[in-house]
Amino acid sequence: MADEEDPSQLFAIPDLWRPSSWLNQTFTEANKGTATPNPLFTLNSTPIAAKANFGESHGLLTFTDIKAPDRPPDDGDGNEFFKLPSLLRELASQTEIEPVDIEARPFVDDDQQRPVSAAEVSLCSSDGIVDGENDDVDFWLFSEIESTKPGPQLCTWEAFEQPDQDHRSVPLFLSEAGPTAFDALLATNQAASGEPDILSSALYCTCLLNLALGRSSLLYSWDADKNSFVKTSPGLRISGLSLDLVGAVDTLCLSCGNSARHLQAFAEKTYSAAATPTRVALARAVARLVDAVRSELSTRGRHVQSLLQLQSIVQPVQSILSYFRGFVKRLSQQKSDETLLSCLFQEAEASEYRSEIIKECTREVLRILSRPWIDSVEEWIGLKPEEGFALDKKGPGKGFVRVADKVWIDDQGFELEEADYFLDEDKLPVFISEDMGQAIFETGRNLRFLREHHPEHALSRPDVVTRAGPPKLEWEFEWEAISKLEAKANQYQEELARAIEGLSSTSVRAKATPALAPKKRKYSAAGLECFGKDEAQVEARLLASIDQLNRPLEDPAPQDELTRLLKSHLYRTEDLHQESTSLSPHWTLVPFLSFGPVIEAQSRLISRECMRLLFSAHHLRTHIDLLRQYFLLGNGLFCSRLAHALFDPDLSSAERRSGVALGGSGAMGLRLAGRRTWPPASSELRLALMGVLSECYQPPPSTSSSSVRVATADGGPPLRAGHTRTSSSHPDLPGDLSFAVRDLIPEEIDRCIDPDSLEALDFLRLSYRPPAALRAVLAPSTLLRYDRVFRLLLRILRMLYVADELLVRRHSTAGGEGESNASMRLRIEARHFVKQVAAHFFEAGIAAPWRRFEEWLEQVQEEVAASREDGGSHHSPDSVRERQERALDEMMSVLLLRKRQAPVMTLLEDIFGVVLRFAKGLRLRSVEGGETPEELYRTFRKKVDVFVTVCKGLGEKMAASSSASASLESDRGGSCVEQLLVRLDMVGFYGKVTMI
């Protein structure tokens, strides 16, 4: 032993060999107030009635100097530990016991393992039992006195290793003296407040076990007002344990019982209320959790023998139930299933830093609660047949898919409504990203397209998809499980691709049993049990049945994963560290890795089939080419025919006049530049535009001429406020293409009345209605962009005709009176300006973006046409629509039709208006009150200078924004503006002062 006085000894333990301080502790008597040694553990102590000198002599205890007390022992609450019975007190007060030396039994009984009280010694001495003087005493009347014959000795390893030493020594520590000594010490310290009642350890542990299970017992009852268990007798404790220690175990079991009771009440309340599927799944999981932990605790509680053992088995259960109590409380505060799943996902992520059992249980609860939402996703994308009523456009929707009326305003100004599917992003949990949610929605909507227009397709038949073995959408948290899921998804994609391509069509027809049909159970031939059997066989069957009934019930294996997990991991401590060290993906990647492979495989298969049918069965390229030819004026013959029908003054008039019959050998036109009444009537429109559309149509090279319908065009009614197109339906051109009258507001109608205004032809439009199968690609928003472009191009077509007329009129008036310099310069500059703007619009604004879109579309068609077993391309109808709208937006940006370009377009329209007024003056030769050529030229130059300056600033701004954002569209817009400036003013002509 190191010297305790040496401070350099860091590991010295001072006073290790010394006995406990409790053995030499003095106490103060309650009545006298004098300090006396503790009579319990003092080696030389004086009991209440006698003074005993303890000495060790061959393992025996010798009592000397036993004297009667000076006064009878009182019955007060003194600090004396050993007290004589009342009868002995009276005898002790009457007689005086002489000191004797006796050979007594050892201080510590080997059988009972308890100290011998001084009262027993006094009793034996006073009655003369142990001194050998009274031989007629009946020893059988004194049960407390044992035979002097030594009993069985307690064998210990210490005695075996050192047999010569006597190990029956006086205990040095309080913990070695047994529970009786500890109780005596507690009674000494708690004499003033009253001793607590001591209860049997087995009974107290049973009550605590029931408390931990959430059940009422003799000592604990449920208080509904306090919403907690309450102890009926707070002063109860167990022998050998302090009240504080018992209270700590009580608190542990109380927390466990309250948590179990609250969780059970939550499950019952959720079941009784009209809850959603996710909340019912939460209640089911909570009920399973409580039943599992109760079963395990009850099973292990049967073998509890001490309070410490009970504490060890309650501690894991209390930690689980307390965690899930707070966990369920947070989940119950969520108002919707989506927010509940989002909160649950965040809780599961936070449980990664808790114990292994809590982490695994939280993951399993996440699987259970996500199942209703995952089932709806599987039904939407076609991985499993739909249960109950199928989701269609006539219903209200389901889950994250909402069915509502799609409202839009068409090019006529009408407000149209049509039921359609919409993605409700608020119904998506937080672990579903925006891209994944959009992919899920598009996959389901494309599947409805197949079921609506191609019900015979393999993907429209749930039995074919089921036979391909689609993998389920499940949460996967380990890399190994994720790898297996990806392999299974690839295998499913290959199997279903072969079924779609017809490689397994024969086997599909052979298996005519639907997947939804219930399977018939195969029963074996049933034999007679009793009838027809002899007596011996019947007796044998009865004996076998009785023997089977006498067997104990087998513990059934847990049916759900949560129960199995709790039963196997609740009290397991080994190998937890090894399992927790396995690598797992980060929680931000878990949803994508768990659901992404299956969703992507299904999306690629459905998108590929939709695109293939759009190109082959629904002739998507034919309709897109039709829009290019007519709405974008990509057909030269149509441009020429339309310009002559609208503007040529040499054509026969189609206007009805009273007393004049319509006729003429040539074609008729509207003669916009040579009439005073405007707008034309509907009959005049029909006559002027008859055959323009059908005769100019050129089918695409990939489409045979026999599949294209050709007929005449139709017209519209007279243009009045509130009137719309009334064209007759001729199913000739794709999409019933025809001319129609646009619905305009009163202000626009006033501008259309003037035939010399730029808005004179704004009433005319093209009417096109795509087939129902193509509405996903040619949406109303897409057609609205086409109409806006057509409206501007029709104005540009008119300005080109006027610019050419300016040159023709110059030659026709060359022989007349001389023309002023202002008029000549205005002719040349106006024609140059209109030609360059039109060339820029048609080349950079229409041809270039459309060429890029057609190249992309051609590549998509080639990818879809290639039959590959890997599922095809990633393109879908929505991707085609988005790419087409992107091309139209690029066109509108070059054509100055964007909202932010409205001031620039206003300047351009003012310049066109000046040119039209100048053309009108040349046509009429003299206009009273009109502007002179000099005034028109100054106005023209001023507006062109402003337009060029604004375009320069716009180009610089777009170039700066494109360099900052690296946007391809902005870069093209800036370069297009620079190209327009080069066309208009290469040498910087505008902006200089010109004298006329």
Side-chain angles (χ1 to χ4, degrees), residues 59-60 104-106 108-113 146-155 168:
L60 301 179
R105 57 183 174 177
V108 179
D109 192 344
D110 295 331
D111 295 335
Q112 302 296 331
Q113 289 295 312
E146 299 179 358
S147 174
T148 58
K149 181 179 179 181
Q153 299 297 322
L154 177 64
C155 298
R168 295 177 296 177

mmCIF file with all atom_site columns, all heavy atoms in Angstrom, residues 59-60 104-106 108-113 146-155 168:
data_model
loop_
_atom_site.group_PDB
_atom_site.id
_atom_site.type_symbol
_atom_site.label_atom_id
_atom_site.label_alt_id
_atom_site.label_comp_id
_atom_site.label_asym_id
_atom_site.label_entity_id
_atom_site.label_seq_id
_atom_site.pdbx_PDB_ins_code
_atom_site.Cartn_x
_atom_site.Cartn_y
_atom_site.Cartn_z
_atom_site.occupancy
_atom_site.B_iso_or_equiv
_atom_site.pdbx_formal_charge
_atom_site.auth_seq_id
_atom_site.auth_comp_id
_atom_site.auth_asym_id
_atom_site.auth_atom_id
_atom_site.pdbx_PDB_model_num
ATOM 1   N N   . GLY A 1 59  ? -13.759 -17.759 17.474 1.00 0.00 ? 59  GLY A N   1
ATOM 2   C CA  . GLY A 1 59  ? -15.003 -17.592 16.746 1.00 0.00 ? 59  GLY A CA  1
ATOM 3   C C   . GLY A 1 59  ? -16.213 -17.497 17.629 1.00 0.00 ? 59  GLY A C   1
ATOM 4   O O   . GLY A 1 59  ? -17.331 -17.589 17.143 1.00 0.00 ? 59  GLY A O   1
ATOM 5   N N   . LEU A 1 60  ? -16.077 -17.364 19.001 1.00 0.00 ? 60  LEU A N   1
ATOM 6   C CA  . LEU A 1 60  ? -17.227 -17.313 19.897 1.00 0.00 ? 60  LEU A CA  1
ATOM 7   C C   . LEU A 1 60  ? -17.354 -15.918 20.456 1.00 0.00 ? 60  LEU A C   1
ATOM 8   O O   . LEU A 1 60  ? -16.396 -15.165 20.582 1.00 0.00 ? 60  LEU A O   1
ATOM 9   C CB  . LEU A 1 60  ? -17.067 -18.325 21.036 1.00 0.00 ? 60  LEU A CB  1
ATOM 10  C CG  . LEU A 1 60  ? -16.927 -19.790 20.602 1.00 0.00 ? 60  LEU A CG  1
ATOM 11  C CD1 . LEU A 1 60  ? -16.740 -20.672 21.831 1.00 0.00 ? 60  LEU A CD1 1
ATOM 12  C CD2 . LEU A 1 60  ? -18.138 -20.237 19.806 1.00 0.00 ? 60  LEU A CD2 1
ATOM 13  N N   . ALA A 1 104 ? -21.396 -18.730 23.724 1.00 0.00 ? 104 ALA A N   1
ATOM 14  C CA  . ALA A 1 104 ? -22.549 -18.470 22.831 1.00 0.00 ? 104 ALA A CA  1
ATOM 15  C C   . ALA A 1 104 ? -22.221 -18.854 21.400 1.00 0.00 ? 104 ALA A C   1
ATOM 16  O O   . ALA A 1 104 ? -21.090 -19.164 21.076 1.00 0.00 ? 104 ALA A O   1
ATOM 17  C CB  . ALA A 1 104 ? -22.933 -16.983 22.906 1.00 0.00 ? 104 ALA A CB  1
ATOM 18  N N   . ARG A 1 105 ? -23.241 -18.741 20.628 1.00 0.00 ? 105 ARG A N   1
ATOM 19  C CA  . ARG A 1 105 ? -23.062 -19.034 19.199 1.00 0.00 ? 105 ARG A CA  1
ATOM 20  C C   . ARG A 1 105 ? -22.348 -17.860 18.520 1.00 0.00 ? 105 ARG A C   1
ATOM 21  O O   . ARG A 1 105 ? -22.256 -16.786 19.096 1.00 0.00 ? 105 ARG A O   1
ATOM 22  C CB  . ARG A 1 105 ? -24.417 -19.247 18.545 1.00 0.00 ? 105 ARG A CB  1
ATOM 23  C CG  . ARG A 1 105 ? -25.333 -18.068 18.712 1.00 0.00 ? 105 ARG A CG  1
ATOM 24  C CD  . ARG A 1 105 ? -26.685 -18.353 18.110 1.00 0.00 ? 105 ARG A CD  1
ATOM 25  N NE  . ARG A 1 105 ? -27.600 -17.254 18.417 1.00 0.00 ? 105 ARG A NE  1
ATOM 26  C CZ  . ARG A 1 105 ? -28.843 -17.201 17.967 1.00 0.00 ? 105 ARG A CZ  1
ATOM 27  N NH1 . ARG A 1 105 ? -29.280 -18.184 17.212 1.00 0.00 ? 105 ARG A NH1 1
ATOM 28  N NH2 . ARG A 1 105 ? -29.625 -16.201 18.277 1.00 0.00 ? 105 ARG A NH2 1
ATOM 29  N N   . PRO A 1 106 ? -21.881 -18.068 17.369 1.00 0.00 ? 106 PRO A N   1
ATOM 30  C CA  . PRO A 1 106 ? -21.182 -16.953 16.677 1.00 0.00 ? 106 PRO A CA  1
ATOM 31  C C   . PRO A 1 106 ? -22.091 -15.753 16.492 1.00 0.00 ? 106 PRO A C   1
ATOM 32  O O   . PRO A 1 106 ? -23.321 -15.863 16.484 1.00 0.00 ? 106 PRO A O   1
ATOM 33  C CB  . PRO A 1 106 ? -20.791 -17.571 15.329 1.00 0.00 ? 106 PRO A CB  1
ATOM 34  C CG  . PRO A 1 106 ? -20.822 -19.043 15.564 1.00 0.00 ? 106 PRO A CG  1
ATOM 35  C CD  . PRO A 1 106 ? -21.848 -19.297 16.611 1.00 0.00 ? 106 PRO A CD  1
ATOM 36  N N   . VAL A 1 108 ? -22.504 -13.961 13.840 1.00 0.00 ? 108 VAL A N   1
ATOM 37  C CA  . VAL A 1 108 ? -23.227 -14.031 12.573 1.00 0.00 ? 108 VAL A CA  1
ATOM 38  C C   . VAL A 1 108 ? -23.641 -15.452 12.349 1.00 0.00 ? 108 VAL A C   1
ATOM 39  O O   . VAL A 1 108 ? -22.788 -16.347 12.298 1.00 0.00 ? 108 VAL A O   1
ATOM 40  C CB  . VAL A 1 108 ? -22.368 -13.523 11.396 1.00 0.00 ? 108 VAL A CB  1
ATOM 41  C CG1 . VAL A 1 108 ? -23.135 -13.643 10.115 1.00 0.00 ? 108 VAL A CG1 1
ATOM 42  C CG2 . VAL A 1 108 ? -21.943 -12.093 11.663 1.00 0.00 ? 108 VAL A CG2 1
ATOM 43  N N   . ASP A 1 109 ? -24.922 -15.710 12.251 1.00 0.00 ? 109 ASP A N   1
ATOM 44  C CA  . ASP A 1 109 ? -25.435 -17.054 12.021 1.00 0.00 ? 109 ASP A CA  1
ATOM 45  C C   . ASP A 1 109 ? -25.132 -17.460 10.597 1.00 0.00 ? 109 ASP A C   1
ATOM 46  O O   . ASP A 1 109 ? -25.386 -16.723 9.649  1.00 0.00 ? 109 ASP A O   1
ATOM 47  C CB  . ASP A 1 109 ? -26.944 -17.078 12.268 1.00 0.00 ? 109 ASP A CB  1
ATOM 48  C CG  . ASP A 1 109 ? -27.477 -18.503 12.317 1.00 0.00 ? 109 ASP A CG  1
ATOM 49  O OD1 . ASP A 1 109 ? -26.770 -19.426 11.866 1.00 0.00 ? 109 ASP A OD1 1
ATOM 50  O OD2 . ASP A 1 109 ? -28.596 -18.675 12.796 1.00 0.00 ? 109 ASP A OD2 1
ATOM 51  N N   . ASP A 1 110 ? -24.582 -18.681 10.463 1.00 0.00 ? 110 ASP A N   1
ATOM 52  C CA  . ASP A 1 110 ? -24.227 -19.146 9.123  1.00 0.00 ? 110 ASP A CA  1
ATOM 53  C C   . ASP A 1 110 ? -25.437 -19.494 8.297  1.00 0.00 ? 110 ASP A C   1
ATOM 54  O O   . ASP A 1 110 ? -25.405 -19.428 7.071  1.00 0.00 ? 110 ASP A O   1
ATOM 55  C CB  . ASP A 1 110 ? -23.293 -20.351 9.204  1.00 0.00 ? 110 ASP A CB  1
ATOM 56  C CG  . ASP A 1 110 ? -21.966 -19.994 9.833  1.00 0.00 ? 110 ASP A CG  1
ATOM 57  O OD1 . ASP A 1 110 ? -21.559 -18.811 9.700  1.00 0.00 ? 110 ASP A OD1 1
ATOM 58  O OD2 . ASP A 1 110 ? -21.368 -20.859 10.447 1.00 0.00 ? 110 ASP A OD2 1
ATOM 59  N N   . ASP A 1 111 ? -26.502 -19.918 8.948  1.00 0.00 ? 111 ASP A N   1
ATOM 60  C CA  . ASP A 1 111 ? -27.694 -20.298 8.190  1.00 0.00 ? 111 ASP A CA  1
ATOM 61  C C   . ASP A 1 111 ? -28.540 -19.093 7.843  1.00 0.00 ? 111 ASP A C   1
ATOM 62  O O   . ASP A 1 111 ? -28.990 -18.933 6.715  1.00 0.00 ? 111 ASP A O   1
ATOM 63  C CB  . ASP A 1 111 ? -28.535 -21.310 8.984  1.00 0.00 ? 111 ASP A CB  1
ATOM 64  C CG  . ASP A 1 111 ? -27.804 -22.617 9.174  1.00 0.00 ? 111 ASP A CG  1
ATOM 65  O OD1 . ASP A 1 111 ? -26.920 -22.912 8.331  1.00 0.00 ? 111 ASP A OD1 1
ATOM 66  O OD2 . ASP A 1 111 ? -28.114 -23.325 10.115 1.00 0.00 ? 111 ASP A OD2 1
ATOM 67  N N   . GLN A 1 112 ? -28.774 -18.239 8.843  1.00 0.00 ? 112 GLN A N   1
ATOM 68  C CA  . GLN A 1 112 ? -29.660 -17.110 8.624  1.00 0.00 ? 112 GLN A CA  1
ATOM 69  C C   . GLN A 1 112 ? -28.930 -15.890 8.112  1.00 0.00 ? 112 GLN A C   1
ATOM 70  O O   . GLN A 1 112 ? -29.544 -14.991 7.576  1.00 0.00 ? 112 GLN A O   1
ATOM 71  C CB  . GLN A 1 112 ? -30.380 -16.744 9.922  1.00 0.00 ? 112 GLN A CB  1
ATOM 72  C CG  . GLN A 1 112 ? -31.196 -17.883 10.499 1.00 0.00 ? 112 GLN A CG  1
ATOM 73  C CD  . GLN A 1 112 ? -32.342 -18.300 9.611  1.00 0.00 ? 112 GLN A CD  1
ATOM 74  O OE1 . GLN A 1 112 ? -32.849 -17.459 8.882  1.00 0.00 ? 112 GLN A OE1 1
ATOM 75  N NE2 . GLN A 1 112 ? -32.727 -19.557 9.644  1.00 0.00 ? 112 GLN A NE2 1
ATOM 76  N N   . GLN A 1 113 ? -27.600 -15.856 8.317  1.00 0.00 ? 113 GLN A N   1
ATOM 77  C CA  . GLN A 1 113 ? -26.806 -14.710 7.871  1.00 0.00 ? 113 GLN A CA  1
ATOM 78  C C   . GLN A 1 113 ? -27.344 -13.405 8.447  1.00 0.00 ? 113 GLN A C   1
ATOM 79  O O   . GLN A 1 113 ? -27.587 -12.439 7.751  1.00 0.00 ? 113 GLN A O   1
ATOM 80  C CB  . GLN A 1 113 ? -26.776 -14.649 6.339  1.00 0.00 ? 113 GLN A CB  1
ATOM 81  C CG  . GLN A 1 113 ? -25.957 -15.736 5.702  1.00 0.00 ? 113 GLN A CG  1
ATOM 82  C CD  . GLN A 1 113 ? -24.486 -15.619 6.049  1.00 0.00 ? 113 GLN A CD  1
ATOM 83  O OE1 . GLN A 1 113 ? -23.904 -14.553 5.959  1.00 0.00 ? 113 GLN A OE1 1
ATOM 84  N NE2 . GLN A 1 113 ? -23.878 -16.716 6.464  1.00 0.00 ? 113 GLN A NE2 1
ATOM 85  N N   . GLU A 1 146 ? -31.108 -21.729 19.556 1.00 0.00 ? 146 GLU A N   1
ATOM 86  C CA  . GLU A 1 146 ? -30.720 -22.827 18.699 1.00 0.00 ? 146 GLU A CA  1
ATOM 87  C C   . GLU A 1 146 ? -29.755 -23.746 19.434 1.00 0.00 ? 146 GLU A C   1
ATOM 88  O O   . GLU A 1 146 ? -29.180 -23.407 20.468 1.00 0.00 ? 146 GLU A O   1
ATOM 89  C CB  . GLU A 1 146 ? -30.061 -22.286 17.432 1.00 0.00 ? 146 GLU A CB  1
ATOM 90  C CG  . GLU A 1 146 ? -30.972 -21.392 16.605 1.00 0.00 ? 146 GLU A CG  1
ATOM 91  C CD  . GLU A 1 146 ? -30.272 -20.879 15.385 1.00 0.00 ? 146 GLU A CD  1
ATOM 92  O OE1 . GLU A 1 146 ? -29.073 -21.194 15.231 1.00 0.00 ? 146 GLU A OE1 1
ATOM 93  O OE2 . GLU A 1 146 ? -30.910 -20.163 14.596 1.00 0.00 ? 146 GLU A OE2 1
ATOM 94  N N   . SER A 1 147 ? -29.599 -24.879 18.858 1.00 0.00 ? 147 SER A N   1
ATOM 95  C CA  . SER A 1 147 ? -28.683 -25.859 19.439 1.00 0.00 ? 147 SER A CA  1
ATOM 96  C C   . SER A 1 147 ? -27.249 -25.369 19.323 1.00 0.00 ? 147 SER A C   1
ATOM 97  O O   . SER A 1 147 ? -26.893 -24.653 18.397 1.00 0.00 ? 147 SER A O   1
ATOM 98  C CB  . SER A 1 147 ? -28.850 -27.212 18.740 1.00 0.00 ? 147 SER A CB  1
ATOM 99  O OG  . SER A 1 147 ? -27.875 -28.124 19.188 1.00 0.00 ? 147 SER A OG  1
ATOM 100 N N   . THR A 1 148 ? -26.451 -25.765 20.301 1.00 0.00 ? 148 THR A N   1
ATOM 101 C CA  . THR A 1 148 ? -25.037 -25.384 20.284 1.00 0.00 ? 148 THR A CA  1
ATOM 102 C C   . THR A 1 148 ? -24.249 -26.181 19.284 1.00 0.00 ? 148 THR A C   1
ATOM 103 O O   . THR A 1 148 ? -23.069 -25.882 19.055 1.00 0.00 ? 148 THR A O   1
ATOM 104 C CB  . THR A 1 148 ? -24.435 -25.556 21.667 1.00 0.00 ? 148 THR A CB  1
ATOM 105 O OG1 . THR A 1 148 ? -24.606 -26.934 22.065 1.00 0.00 ? 148 THR A OG1 1
ATOM 106 C CG2 . THR A 1 148 ? -25.131 -24.649 22.685 1.00 0.00 ? 148 THR A CG2 1
ATOM 107 N N   . LYS A 1 149 ? -24.907 -27.174 18.715 1.00 0.00 ? 149 LYS A N   1
ATOM 108 C CA  . LYS A 1 149 ? -24.211 -27.965 17.717 1.00 0.00 ? 149 LYS A CA  1
ATOM 109 C C   . LYS A 1 149 ? -23.961 -27.114 16.486 1.00 0.00 ? 149 LYS A C   1
ATOM 110 O O   . LYS A 1 149 ? -24.882 -26.491 15.964 1.00 0.00 ? 149 LYS A O   1
ATOM 111 C CB  . LYS A 1 149 ? -25.042 -29.191 17.352 1.00 0.00 ? 149 LYS A CB  1
ATOM 112 C CG  . LYS A 1 149 ? -24.358 -30.084 16.335 1.00 0.00 ? 149 LYS A CG  1
ATOM 113 C CD  . LYS A 1 149 ? -25.235 -31.297 16.028 1.00 0.00 ? 149 LYS A CD  1
ATOM 114 C CE  . LYS A 1 149 ? -24.571 -32.187 14.993 1.00 0.00 ? 149 LYS A CE  1
ATOM 115 N NZ  . LYS A 1 149 ? -25.421 -33.370 14.673 1.00 0.00 ? 149 LYS A NZ  1
ATOM 116 N N   . PRO A 1 150 ? -22.765 -27.022 16.021 1.00 0.00 ? 150 PRO A N   1
ATOM 117 C CA  . PRO A 1 150 ? -22.491 -26.160 14.854 1.00 0.00 ? 150 PRO A CA  1
ATOM 118 C C   . PRO A 1 150 ? -23.248 -26.658 13.609 1.00 0.00 ? 150 PRO A C   1
ATOM 119 O O   . PRO A 1 150 ? -23.284 -27.857 13.333 1.00 0.00 ? 150 PRO A O   1
ATOM 120 C CB  . PRO A 1 150 ? -20.978 -26.256 14.672 1.00 0.00 ? 150 PRO A CB  1
ATOM 121 C CG  . PRO A 1 150 ? -20.610 -27.544 15.332 1.00 0.00 ? 150 PRO A CG  1
ATOM 122 C CD  . PRO A 1 150 ? -21.564 -27.732 16.484 1.00 0.00 ? 150 PRO A CD  1
ATOM 123 N N   . GLY A 1 151 ? -23.837 -25.706 12.905 1.00 0.00 ? 151 GLY A N   1
ATOM 124 C CA  . GLY A 1 151 ? -24.584 -26.041 11.696 1.00 0.00 ? 151 GLY A CA  1
ATOM 125 C C   . GLY A 1 151 ? -23.686 -26.059 10.470 1.00 0.00 ? 151 GLY A C   1
ATOM 126 O O   . GLY A 1 151 ? -22.454 -25.971 10.577 1.00 0.00 ? 151 GLY A O   1
ATOM 127 N N   . PRO A 1 152 ? -24.292 -26.183 9.352  1.00 0.00 ? 152 PRO A N   1
ATOM 128 C CA  . PRO A 1 152 ? -23.514 -26.190 8.105  1.00 0.00 ? 152 PRO A CA  1
ATOM 129 C C   . PRO A 1 152 ? -22.823 -24.850 7.881  1.00 0.00 ? 152 PRO A C   1
ATOM 130 O O   . PRO A 1 152 ? -23.406 -23.794 8.110  1.00 0.00 ? 152 PRO A O   1
ATOM 131 C CB  . PRO A 1 152 ? -24.556 -26.456 7.015  1.00 0.00 ? 152 PRO A CB  1
ATOM 132 C CG  . PRO A 1 152 ? -25.842 -26.042 7.613  1.00 0.00 ? 152 PRO A CG  1
ATOM 133 C CD  . PRO A 1 152 ? -25.744 -26.320 9.084  1.00 0.00 ? 152 PRO A CD  1
ATOM 134 N N   . GLN A 1 153 ? -21.563 -24.938 7.501  1.00 0.00 ? 153 GLN A N   1
ATOM 135 C CA  . GLN A 1 153 ? -20.764 -23.744 7.294  1.00 0.00 ? 153 GLN A CA  1
ATOM 136 C C   . GLN A 1 153 ? -20.891 -23.265 5.848  1.00 0.00 ? 153 GLN A C   1
ATOM 137 O O   . GLN A 1 153 ? -21.046 -24.051 4.922  1.00 0.00 ? 153 GLN A O   1
ATOM 138 C CB  . GLN A 1 153 ? -19.293 -24.044 7.612  1.00 0.00 ? 153 GLN A CB  1
ATOM 139 C CG  . GLN A 1 153 ? -19.044 -24.483 9.039  1.00 0.00 ? 153 GLN A CG  1
ATOM 140 C CD  . GLN A 1 153 ? -19.396 -23.396 10.029 1.00 0.00 ? 153 GLN A CD  1
ATOM 141 O OE1 . GLN A 1 153 ? -19.149 -22.221 9.767  1.00 0.00 ? 153 GLN A OE1 1
ATOM 142 N NE2 . GLN A 1 153 ? -19.953 -23.777 11.159 1.00 0.00 ? 153 GLN A NE2 1
ATOM 143 N N   . LEU A 1 154 ? -20.837 -21.958 5.689  1.00 0.00 ? 154 LEU A N   1
ATOM 144 C CA  . LEU A 1 154 ? -20.850 -21.336 4.368  1.00 0.00 ? 154 LEU A CA  1
ATOM 145 C C   . LEU A 1 154 ? -19.449 -21.388 3.780  1.00 0.00 ? 154 LEU A C   1
ATOM 146 O O   . LEU A 1 154 ? -18.513 -20.801 4.332  1.00 0.00 ? 154 LEU A O   1
ATOM 147 C CB  . LEU A 1 154 ? -21.329 -19.890 4.442  1.00 0.00 ? 154 LEU A CB  1
ATOM 148 C CG  . LEU A 1 154 ? -21.322 -19.134 3.129  1.00 0.00 ? 154 LEU A CG  1
ATOM 149 C CD1 . LEU A 1 154 ? -22.297 -19.776 2.144  1.00 0.00 ? 154 LEU A CD1 1
ATOM 150 C CD2 . LEU A 1 154 ? -21.692 -17.685 3.358  1.00 0.00 ? 154 LEU A CD2 1
ATOM 151 N N   . CYS A 1 155 ? -19.331 -22.121 2.709  1.00 0.00 ? 155 CYS A N   1
ATOM 152 C CA  . CYS A 1 155 ? -18.022 -22.281 2.067  1.00 0.00 ? 155 CYS A CA  1
ATOM 153 C C   . CYS A 1 155 ? -17.797 -21.138 1.086  1.00 0.00 ? 155 CYS A C   1
ATOM 154 O O   . CYS A 1 155 ? -18.643 -20.883 0.222  1.00 0.00 ? 155 CYS A O   1
ATOM 155 C CB  . CYS A 1 155 ? -17.937 -23.619 1.337  1.00 0.00 ? 155 CYS A CB  1
ATOM 156 S SG  . CYS A 1 155 ? -18.103 -25.037 2.435  1.00 0.00 ? 155 CYS A SG  1
ATOM 157 N N   . ARG A 1 168 ? -14.938 -15.449 9.875  1.00 0.00 ? 168 ARG A N   1
ATOM 158 C CA  . ARG A 1 168 ? -16.173 -15.004 10.503 1.00 0.00 ? 168 ARG A CA  1
ATOM 159 C C   . ARG A 1 168 ? -15.874 -13.814 11.408 1.00 0.00 ? 168 ARG A C   1
ATOM 160 O O   . ARG A 1 168 ? -15.923 -13.899 12.627 1.00 0.00 ? 168 ARG A O   1
ATOM 161 C CB  . ARG A 1 168 ? -16.795 -16.132 11.307 1.00 0.00 ? 168 ARG A CB  1
ATOM 162 C CG  . ARG A 1 168 ? -17.245 -17.314 10.441 1.00 0.00 ? 168 ARG A CG  1
ATOM 163 C CD  . ARG A 1 168 ? -17.775 -18.431 11.297 1.00 0.00 ? 168 ARG A CD  1
ATOM 164 N NE  . ARG A 1 168 ? -16.713 -18.970 12.157 1.00 0.00 ? 168 ARG A NE  1
ATOM 165 C CZ  . ARG A 1 168 ? -16.911 -19.918 13.058 1.00 0.00 ? 168 ARG A CZ  1
ATOM 166 N NH1 . ARG A 1 168 ? -18.101 -20.425 13.242 1.00 0.00 ? 168 ARG A NH1 1
ATOM 167 N NH2 . ARG A 1 168 ? -15.904 -20.359 13.798 1.00 0.00 ? 168 ARG A NH2 1
#
